[in-house]
Amino acid sequence: MWRVVDDAAHDSADESADALSSENALTSEKGLWGLFAPDTDLSWQHEALCAQTDPEAFFPEKGGSTREAKKVCARCEVREQCLQWAIDHDERFGIWGGMSERERRRYKKARSQEQI
């Protein structure tokens, strides 16, 4: 019924709470578990034409047409930033910057061979 309060246990609980709040602070500084750096500028996404159209066009089923998505990308002012983001983050699905995943792989491979 009565619990004896152990000051050492209380202190370690305070330390655990401090560690947790410090971990939360680090998580918020680094982004979600350190996966996404908060210093990444994603403001270009607000200007992306794809955000104003049907997202399914940019993620066609296997063997589906990419024509409509690429038409939108061709008119988009932030196409280069979009493509660079997809390459930097190894995006494996969808049309980004006017290129499919297969086209991005070829593009990335060609760029790496040019640097050799």
Side-chain angles (χ1 to χ4, degrees):
M1 178 156 107
W2 294 94
R3 291 179 50 192
V4 176
V5 176
D6 180 6
D7 285 339
H10 182 61
D11 289 342
S12 70
D14 286 344
E15 288 171 10
S16 295
D18 289 344
L20 183 58
S21 68
S22 167
E23 183 180 326
N24 287 340
L26 288 175
T27 301
S28 65
E29 287 174 16
K30 292 180 184 176
L32 182 62
W33 297 294
L35 296 175
F36 302 105
D39 60 344
T40 303
D41 179 19
L42 299 176
S43 62
W44 58 269
Q45 290 181 347
H46 298 289
E47 299 173 39
L49 291 179
C50 60
Q52 304 164 26
T53 59
D54 182 13
E56 288 191 25
F58 295 89
F59 296 92
E61 298 210 12
K62 190 170 185 160
S65 176
T66 61
R67 185 176 297 132
E68 291 303 314
K70 288 181 177 185
K71 282 182 184 179
V72 173
C73 291
R75 296 187 327 250
C76 188
E77 293 179 15
V78 293
R79 179 180 176 182
E80 291 178 26
Q81 292 98 318
C82 178
L83 177 60
Q84 191 60 52
W85 187 92
I87 290 170
D88 290 347
H89 293 87
D90 198 25
E91 183 60 55
R92 296 185 184 223
F93 301 100
I95 306 302
W96 293 82
M99 290 187 184
S100 67
E101 193 268 333
R102 181 179 292 161
E103 292 167 328
R104 289 191 301 275
R105 272 197 319 249
R106 285 188 207 138
Y107 177 75
K108 192 174 179 178
K109 186 177 180 179
R111 277 188 19 191
S112 68
Q113 288 178 349
E114 286 175 4
Q115 293 176 356
I116 294 177

